[in-house]
Amino acid sequence: MNKIRLTSPRFYAYLTSQFLGAANDNAFKMAIVALSMQLHSDEGTRSWFSNLATFVMPIPFLLFSPLAGYLADRFPKHRVLFWAKLPEIGAMALGIWGFMHQDLYFLLGVFFLMSAQSTFFSPAKYGLLPEVVEDKDLSMANGILHMTTNLAVLLGLAGGSILFHHFEGHPDRVAYVLTGVALIGTMMVLLVPRGREGNPSAPKTLNPLRSALDSLKEVRKIEGLAHVIGGIAYCNFLAAIFLTLLPIYGANILGMPERKAELMLAVLAVGVGLGAMLAGKLSRGKVELGL
């Protein structure tokens, strides 16, 4: 199997598809938060829906990650990406109804479905890179992937706010736009690099607890890897809280207009992008766990 360079159009298609997916998830989440802030004036209710949206997102990852990992090993990863991406269109279409009727709990249910879709997309997304990129380019490819992913998260949060206020009085139009983004992202998946054939003997563990224990055993075999995983998990934990509460803090504590408070998130994009690219550069052509 011929591996691709980082300048390949197929690599750009891969980056675009995952960028649009991450941006869509977070734009949808921010639109829910913006709708809750519009419908409820008291700080407690606003924080409740904002925190609930943050709580909903990781649940599918905890429940379905073992099955998602198995499918990514069992079948060609580029095919798994397509079939995992397809449900995003349906979830976004359901979001149209939810925003039209301003039903926050229904929208949180749709957000759960989107998070489930991301759960099945993620293992194939990360697992495909070592199969299609040369080893000497892998660290930089990871740096670019994390840069675009985090930029997508931040720009999605800002974009969700912008869309919601742009279509003020017609929140269902936000979901129409996001459905279009899901369609484009799905078409991009058709152009991603082709990975290896699947492994018919891939171990199948559907029990999340058993899968976690097996994974911990594997992690212990590589010196320093447990610290890296713990650091990443804790960083993501802090980021999830920070990104969710920042708009509410800006509006309720700093007294900023809601639109400007939510756009504070976009400022973080510059630092995230520079940090991810710098990590890829400092790795000097090898996988560097310390970074």
Side-chain angles (χ1 to χ4, degrees):
M1 182 182 65
N2 294 327
K3 295 196 173 185
I4 62 170
R5 300 303 304 271
L6 301 187
T7 54
S8 168
R10 287 189 176 274
F11 183 65
Y12 291 139
Y14 165 86
L15 291 176
T16 302
S17 65
Q18 66 86 29
F19 178 91
L20 294 177
N24 236 16
D25 286 353
N26 287 277
F28 191 87
K29 174 184 174 181
M30 181 51 68
I32 295 174
V33 173
L35 179 61
S36 71
M37 294 177 75
Q38 184 183 81
L39 295 177
H40 303 283
S41 58
D42 61 293
E43 183 180 345
T45 305
R46 288 178 168 188
S47 297
W48 163 253
F49 281 106
S50 181
N51 291 329
L52 196 56
T54 301
F55 178 75
V56 164
M57 192 169 192
I59 294 177
F61 286 89
L62 295 173
L63 295 176
F64 306 130
S65 286
L67 177 58
Y70 165 72
L71 293 174
D73 283 338
R74 174 62 182 84
F75 302 101
K77 292 178 177 60
H78 59 278
R79 293 183 185 172
V80 175
L81 287 177
F82 175 76
W83 289 108
K85 185 73 173 173
L86 206 56
E88 183 184 354
I89 302 172
M92 286 291 91
L94 288 173
I96 295 173
W97 188 95
F99 278 112
M100 187 179 298
H101 293 84
Q102 300 187 2
D103 188 331
L104 288 170
Y105 287 105
F106 180 84
L107 289 170
L108 287 171
V110 174
F111 188 53
F112 177 89
L113 295 177
M114 291 181 62
S115 297
Q117 176 267 321
S118 296
T119 302
F120 286 93
F121 190 85
S122 293
K125 176 182 78 172
Y126 289 112
L128 183 64
L129 270 187
E131 294 184 4
V132 301
V133 173
E134 296 286 351
D135 289 348
K136 62 184 179 64
D137 293 329
L138 186 56
S139 287
M140 182 54 73
N142 272 319
I144 296 171
L145 172 61
H146 283 282
M147 177 191 72
T148 53
T149 300
N150 285 284
L151 283 175
V153 170
L154 295 171
L155 295 178
L157 290 169
S161 171
I162 292 171
L163 284 173
F164 185 84
H165 289 100
H166 178 73
F167 295 119
E168 193 166 356
H170 302 279
D172 55 300
R173 295 181 184 178
V174 176
Y176 279 113
V177 173
L178 299 184
T179 302
V181 173
L183 281 166
I184 296 171
T186 303
M187 289 188 289
M188 286 292 103
V189 171
L190 296 174
L191 303 176
V192 301
R194 299 301 184 255
R196 293 194 294 262
E197 290 299 315
N199 177 18
S201 60
K204 185 177 182 180
T205 305
L206 302 184
N207 186 323
L209 181 59
R210 178 60 183 271
S211 176
L213 293 174
D214 291 343
S215 297
L216 286 174
K217 290 179 183 178
E218 293 298 318
V219 166
R220 291 195 184 111
K221 295 178 182 178
I222 303 176
E223 185 178 358
L225 186 57
H227 296 94
V228 174
I229 293 175
I232 291 172
Y234 187 67
C235 180
N236 286 334
F237 164 74
L238 290 179
I241 296 174
F242 185 77
L243 292 175
T244 302
L245 295 181
L246 184 60
I248 297 173
Y249 177 80
N252 292 347
I253 307 300
L254 300 182
M256 300 173 66
E258 287 182 12
R259 195 172 299 187
K260 289 186 178 180
E262 290 160 356
L263 289 176
M264 290 169 65
L265 297 166
V267 178
L268 301 176
V270 176
V272 170
L274 290 176
M277 291 299 293
L278 186 60
K281 190 71 174 177
L282 292 176
S283 294
R284 299 183 183 275
K286 63 179 182 179
V287 176
E288 178 55 64
L289 289 182
L291 287 172

